[in-house]
Amino acid sequence: MTITAEVTKRIQQLRKQLNTYSHQYYVLDEPSVPDVEYDRLYRELEAIEGEYPESISADSPTQKVGAPPLASFSQVTHERPMLSLDNAMNENELIDFERKVKDRLKGNLDRAAVLEYACEPKLDGLAVSILYEGGQLVQAATRGDGSTGENITLNVRTINNVPLSLRGTDFPQRLEVRGEIYIPKAGFEKLNQDARENEGKVFANPRNAAAGSLRQLDSRITAKRPLEFCAYSIGVVSENFVLPNKHEEILQRLKYWGLKINSDMAVVQGIQSCVEYFAEMGRKRDGLDYDIDGIVFKINDLDIQEQLGFVARAPRWAIAAKFPAQEEMTLLEGVDFQVGRTGALTPVARLKPVHVAGVMVSNATLHNMDEIARLGVKIGDTVIIRRAGDVIPQVVSVVLDRRPEGVSSLADIVMPTHCPVCDSHVEKIAGEAVARCSGGLFCGAQRKEAIKHFSSRKALDVDGLGDKLVEQLVDANLITSFDDLFHLNLDDVASLDRMAKKSAQNLLDSLEAAKTTTLGRFLYSLGIREVGVTTAQNLADYFGFLERIQQADEATLLAVPDVGGIVAKHILSFFGEEHNQIIIEQLQKVGVNWLESEPVSAAENAALPLAGKVYVITGTLNEMGRDDAKHHLQALGGKVTGSVSAKTDCLVAGEKAGSKLTKAQGLNIDILDEAGFIQLLRDCGVQGV
């Protein structure tokens, strides 16, 4: 099919627009349209090029998808060597760098002169060279040994923020751009998360991930990786092309031509300002969305750079000031299991102490048993530890070539069968990564959170017993179990911080009132895993009596609405622990009570006033809580859901009702204000409202 002038014009429009949007998004970080608009235009261009294959050009945005696998990478000889940088490991070495610079410039520079420096974060990625001819990307190569690198052109072409053609018209005929290819932190986390879910390769750090992505022989794999490029200098430039005489101005010119430069770079005067910039970026380091391992300082004036020249492997006009290493090797001497506030058991590596990121580290997390299996780590292995900022140190990989002869001499890491704190059974549900102590309140590690849950609004609803007060009571050893709450005396409570006789008496009165509850609330208060408010009420409605729930087998539990296999196992595990049965008996002895009755049959339920009706509650109800309103509706046979849909029969709208009210009005659903709702309950025979 012959391509028409009109189609050609549309192709050019689409490419120009997509390149502009891509530049705004990936280089300027200032997207002007939502992703859906970019996707729409991209699909239109893709469709046209599919219909007219002869229209496809190397610089089309659609050509960033990768090509078939290569057998191997060819070699590229750098026209100008890609040199390394000397390192400064502390402030004194940085100051000494400027002293040497001034010594070499004596006679050409006044000793008191203030040198200007370009300061750039040193990205932790892979250095590459990208060559443009006539504004078109024609070659990309790794740094390699500085003289020869690998040809990674097909892979680099897939990177979203690498322009296939330069912007504008005033660029040199030949331009070599040098920079770093890296993976931002968010992209790295998602890449590893996807790998874990699909049993793929999990990378130890973003740098390894970037290097591995660039060295894929199949560029279609590279195209799926969240790589980015950041330019930091130039190499070969066409003869007679006049560039600015300042390094920072050259970078700004690269940005103008469509290449990303680091937005955190700065120009400062004198080495002391470099020291201050280094300290500032050290403070910001952990909050950046990319990894850096130091700062590169370059003399900004190119004439001075030329005077200083090079040594064999590095320029004399630049230096890399390094931050403390975030990774180190050490020996895994043992593994302990810590119990978290929700009962989760976390394996913690006991390490031969080692300095990582300026801190002595002797423990590191191993996350869970699935992660231990993935790492293949054993006690006695040499491991790599990573620590970034305040993040808990973690074991990221095993150094296999340091593993002693005979793997059998190393001990496997085994999950304990009983909790190391309370000796309760440890349960691990199939399909879940985390193993948990089944002890609940009985377990000292979980006590505070269990009591907070027990007294919360949707459980026993003890007014005045907030989180801080629970922590004070536990820390003062006034409560160790649920029933201890009901044995508190006035003087002990009044003696706590920010408490007095009146507030203490109010708390005791609230505890007394909380003794009378419902079976559903009581079940929820016990903190059985996966048993939320709705599931607890379903259990209460289905069985009617606590004893029947305690004695139910798995098949019987599975007959309860909203109870699946995992929830049933959690219920069985909870009631199978003798100490949990003792806690329930103790609560009943101190007077915690609820009404029990035979469950309502299907026929009886169908006869209830609101049977088959679907309600949604929104906004603030002043006369009763939303939980009470929900309970009333369910007791009358109604079903209460969380969102408005065409299946909703009525919306109960309290004060400050928002989007749900608007949606209900749009669907012509019946709407009751609080007064109308209370009248409905009275009409249905509810007393005391």
Side-chain angles (χ1 to χ4, degrees):
M1 186 182 299
T2 305
I3 189 168
T4 65
E6 184 178 357
V7 171
T8 300
K9 181 179 179 181
R10 181 56 179 160
I11 289 173
Q12 292 170 344
Q13 289 174 336
L14 287 168
R15 287 175 181 169
K16 182 179 179 180
Q17 194 68 67
L18 287 167
N19 283 329
T20 297
Y21 290 157
S22 186
H23 176 71
Q24 291 168 342
Y25 186 94
Y26 292 107
V27 179
L28 303 180
D29 291 326
E30 296 175 356
S32 61
V33 295
D35 291 349
V36 66
E37 173 64 7
Y38 181 94
D39 293 340
R40 186 185 67 78
L41 296 176
Y42 184 93
R43 287 194 296 270
E44 182 183 349
L45 176 60
E46 197 173 38
I48 296 174
E49 289 182 346
E51 189 174 354
Y52 301 97
E54 68 276 15
S55 71
I56 299 175
S57 63
D59 64 344
S60 173
T62 64
Q63 299 309 294
K64 285 182 174 285
V65 295
L70 299 171
S72 63
F73 291 113
S74 60
Q75 301 295 298
V76 172
T77 300
H78 299 300
E79 296 180 50
R80 288 181 59 183
M82 294 185 70
L83 301 177
S84 301
L85 294 174
D86 286 333
N87 294 325
M89 305 308 294
N90 53 53
E91 181 178 329
N92 289 336
E93 290 182 7
L94 196 55
I95 292 171
D96 193 50
F97 164 74
E98 183 174 79
R99 181 189 61 75
K100 291 177 181 177
V101 165
K102 288 189 173 182
D103 283 346
R104 292 189 179 99
L105 292 172
K106 61 185 176 183
N108 297 322
L109 182 74
D110 188 307
R111 202 73 162 112
V114 176
L115 290 170
E116 186 174 72
Y117 292 91
C119 316
E120 300 168 61
K122 187 175 182 294
L123 295 168
D124 197 9
L126 201 70
V128 298
S129 159
I130 302 177
L131 181 64
Y132 290 88
E133 292 183 350
Q136 304 298 307
L137 192 160
V138 296
Q139 180 181 279
T142 61
R143 177 184 174 276
D145 61 6
S147 299
T148 305
E150 294 170 310
N151 188 330
I152 53 170
T153 306
L154 293 176
N155 289 345
V156 170
R157 287 176 60 84
T158 69
I159 300 173
N160 279 319
N161 78 332
V162 174
L164 300 181
S165 57
L166 297 176
R167 297 170 63 82
T169 57
D170 57 343
F171 42 74
Q173 172 60 27
R174 296 188 81 235
L175 173 67
E176 180 194 359
V177 182
R178 294 179 173 181
E180 201 86 1
I181 289 177
Y182 62 101
I183 293 182
K185 293 176 182 176
F188 173 71
E189 293 302 327
K190 186 176 187 307
L191 180 65
N192 269 354
Q193 183 60 36
D194 291 345
R196 291 187 188 100
E197 291 174 359
N198 296 289
E199 299 184 356
K201 176 180 174 57
V202 176
F203 292 98
N205 54 56
R207 187 190 184 284
N208 288 1
S213 300
L214 276 179
R215 292 197 170 99
Q216 293 290 330
L217 292 173
D218 187 345
S219 62
R220 292 170 297 188
I221 296 176
T222 307
K224 297 176 182 178
R225 303 284 172 82
L227 296 165
E228 289 190 9
F229 172 76
C230 183
Y232 58 62
S233 71
I234 58 172
V236 175
V237 182
S238 299
E239 290 184 20
N240 302 322
F241 187 87
V242 180
L243 284 167
N245 198 42
K246 296 289 182 72
H247 172 74
E248 185 267 341
E249 292 176 5
I250 290 175
L251 292 184
Q252 292 299 335
R253 188 69 63 87
L254 291 178
K255 181 178 179 180
Y256 172 75
W257 289 329
L259 293 142
K260 180 172 184 172
I261 62 173
N262 197 301
S263 59
D264 288 304
M265 72 164 297
V267 175
V268 303
Q269 309 298 317
I271 201 66
Q272 193 55 46
S273 294
C274 291
V275 171
E276 293 168 4
Y277 177 88
F278 180 83
E280 179 189 357
M281 291 305 297
R283 289 189 292 270
K284 292 174 62 176
R285 180 186 186 188
D286 296 322
L288 298 174
D289 59 8
Y290 51 86
D291 271 352
I292 58 175
D293 57 7
I295 304 295
V296 176
F297 297 104
K298 301 173 185 175
I299 301 293
N300 199 32
D301 190 304
L302 268 60
D303 288 337
I304 297 179
Q305 286 188 13
E306 188 172 347
Q307 291 177 52
L308 291 167
F310 301 82
V311 290
R313 56 175 290 279
R316 291 194 177 102
W317 41 264
I319 193 164
K322 302 298 287 292
F323 291 125
Q326 292 185 314
E327 291 186 350
E328 268 295 353
M329 288 195 308
T330 190
L331 189 68
L332 175 62
E333 296 180 331
V335 173
D336 297 322
F337 286 85
Q338 291 185 348
V339 184
R341 62 183 185 177
T342 62
L345 267 69
T346 302
V348 177
R350 282 189 285 106
L351 308 166
K352 182 177 181 180
V354 60
H355 270 99
V356 187
V359 174
M360 183 66 79
V361 172
S362 57
N363 295 298
T365 181
L366 283 160
H367 298 294
N368 52 54
M369 295 305 292
D370 288 352
E371 180 71 358
I372 288 171
R374 184 191 69 77
L375 292 169
V377 63
K378 295 174 179 287
I379 296 170
D381 267 329
T382 296
V383 294
I384 294 177
I385 305 302
R386 180 174 177 82
R387 178 185 180 274
D390 294 328
V391 176
I392 297 170
Q394 58 183 315
V395 177
V396 294
S397 62
V398 178
V399 185
L400 291 176
D401 60 6
R402 296 285 186 96
R403 179 168 276 179
E405 290 288 336
V407 177
S408 59
S409 64
L410 300 180
D412 289 332
I413 300 169
V414 180
M415 173 65 70
T417 58
H418 290 78
C419 174
V421 175
C422 69
D423 202 40
S424 295
H425 175 67
V426 171
E427 63 172 359
K428 185 177 185 300
I429 303 298
E432 293 188 357
V434 178
R436 296 178 189 270
C437 164
S438 61
L441 175 72
F442 181 73
C443 180
Q446 304 174 64
R447 186 163 295 145
K448 288 181 180 178
E449 293 305 311
I451 293 173
K452 289 176 187 177
H453 177 83
F454 176 77
S455 59
S456 64
R457 184 171 58 84
K458 294 182 179 180
L460 260 65
D461 193 19
V462 182
D463 189 34
L465 187 57
D467 290 355
K468 290 184 179 179
L469 184 53
V470 169
E471 291 177 9
Q472 285 190 75
L473 291 166
V474 174
D475 291 342
N477 292 317
L478 294 177
I479 52 174
T480 59
S481 182
F482 290 157
D483 64 295
D484 286 340
L485 286 167
F486 303 100
H487 291 296
L488 289 170
N489 68 62
L490 185 65
D491 290 337
D492 284 342
V493 177
S495 69
L496 298 173
D497 288 345
R498 299 186 179 183
M499 294 295 287
K501 291 282 187 182
K502 183 176 182 181
S503 54
Q505 186 60 57
N506 289 340
L507 175 63
L508 297 183
D509 292 344
S510 294
L511 284 164
E512 186 63 31
K515 288 181 180 179
T516 300
T517 185
T518 66
L519 178 55
R521 280 180 173 271
F522 181 73
L523 286 170
Y524 175 69
S525 76
L526 295 175
I528 305 168
R529 284 193 64 210
E530 304 290 343
V531 176
V533 174
T534 301
T535 303
Q537 190 59 50
N538 287 344
L539 287 164
D541 292 341
Y542 187 86
F543 290 100
F545 295 84
L546 176 62
E547 185 177 359
R548 294 178 184 177
I549 302 172
Q550 292 172 303
Q551 296 174 351
D553 58 19
E554 184 174 357
T556 307
L557 289 169
L558 289 173
V560 179
D562 196 39
V563 173
I566 292 176
V567 176
K569 285 183 171 62
H570 287 317
I571 295 169
L572 289 170
S573 176
F574 181 87
F575 288 117
E577 292 284 355
E578 183 180 359
H579 54 73
N580 288 333
Q581 300 282 8
I582 292 172
I583 287 170
I584 292 171
E585 290 175 9
Q586 290 171 335
L587 286 170
Q588 290 176 308
K589 284 180 181 179
V590 297
V592 176
N593 67 94
W594 55 88
L595 290 175
E596 293 187 324
S597 61
E598 288 295 333
V600 178
S601 67
E604 290 172 321
N605 191 69
L608 291 172
L610 302 182
K613 298 288 187 181
V614 178
Y615 288 81
V616 174
I617 305 170
T618 189
T620 302
L621 300 178
N622 296 314
E623 297 299 319
M624 70 178 71
R626 285 169 59 174
D627 287 338
D628 289 333
K630 179 179 178 180
H631 174 72
H632 284 308
L633 288 169
Q634 290 173 331
L636 293 167
K639 180 180 180 182
V640 182
T641 64
S643 58
V644 175
S645 71
K647 294 181 180 179
T648 304
D649 292 297
C650 180
L651 177 77
V652 178
E655 293 180 0
K656 298 181 181 178
S659 59
K660 291 179 182 178
L661 175 58
T662 304
K663 186 172 182 180
Q665 290 169 335
L667 293 172
N668 293 318
I669 290 169
D670 289 342
I671 297 170
L672 291 176
D673 61 12
E674 185 169 8
F677 173 61
I678 291 174
Q679 188 58 51
L680 170 69
L681 297 181
R682 290 171 178 164
D683 292 344
C684 291
V686 177
Q687 302 295 317
V689 295

